Amino acid sequence: RWWKAVVPKRTINNYGELQLWWQSQDSGKKASREFFKATYEAIERHPEDEQLAVTGMNYLFYLSDDQKTLMQVGRIAIEHHLNHVQRTDNCAGCAAGDTIAQIANSYARILARAKGPKRAIAMLEAVLAAREKDMSVYAAADSYITLVDFLYRVKRLKKAREKLDHALTAFNG
């Protein structure tokens, strides 16, 4: 496994350091693995720093295709940080619930492959029920697109249409 062979070029101890590395990271497998490991270790060292932990968990979905690890990351994020309030001071158009929405969408895709679309539907419906009012139009739209896709896959066409109608009404609002 690559984990033991990778030594990150720096450590991450706070949200600012996480953002700095994310915005300036090199592309490529080696750089992604270094950032993944440094982010994972930062979350372990600083679980009390919710901005670091939740934003870091979101980034892990962009850095790895390890379904087992990402299933755990998604579950932990939704179970323990559903009410996370993302910083919006450096993000035009962002809202307090967008990071959780992004994590939920990424987790739903993995959950559907691993456990079936019905589990993903239930999780997305729960996240939308709890946080839709805190999401930007873009994050909520992405969540509804994912949800409607899974509803169509399991042939719940009437419910898919209802969710699509709700989303269109809310976004045209």
Side-chain angles (χ1 to χ4, degrees), residues 7-28:
V7 178
K9 58 186 171 188
R10 57 187 166 202
T11 59
I12 297 170
N13 290 302
N14 58 54
Y15 175 80
E17 291 174 358
L18 175 72
Q19 291 295 83
L20 180 63
W21 195 349
W22 175 253
Q23 293 168 1
S24 65
Q25 75 168 328
D26 297 327
S27 60

Side-chain angles (χ1 to χ4, degrees), residues 72-83:
Q72 294 172 5
V73 169
R75 182 185 55 75
I76 290 167
I78 300 304
E79 287 179 5
H80 297 283
H81 300 285
L82 179 61
N83 294 312

Side-chain angles (χ1 to χ4, degrees), residues 89-162:
D89 54 340
N90 290 321
C91 186
C94 292
D98 286 3
T99 301
I100 284 300
Q102 290 170 354
I103 291 171
N105 287 323
S106 298
Y107 179 42
R109 291 178 188 100
I110 294 166
L111 189 59
R113 282 192 296 275
K115 306 280 185 179
K118 289 181 181 180
R119 294 273 301 270
I121 290 166
M123 185 273 298
L124 279 171
E125 287 181 328
V127 170
L128 282 163
R131 297 300 306 273
E132 180 180 3
K133 67 186 180 314
D134 301 322
M135 294 177 190
S136 68
V137 171
Y138 310 106
D142 192 30
S143 296
Y144 275 105
I145 289 167
T146 304
L147 176 61
V148 168
D149 177 48
F150 291 138
L151 288 166
Y152 272 111
R153 289 186 199 185
V154 298
K155 310 293 186 222
R156 292 173 67 189
L157 303 180
K158 183 179 178 187
K159 188 166 187 173
R161 181 59 192 215
E162 289 169 2

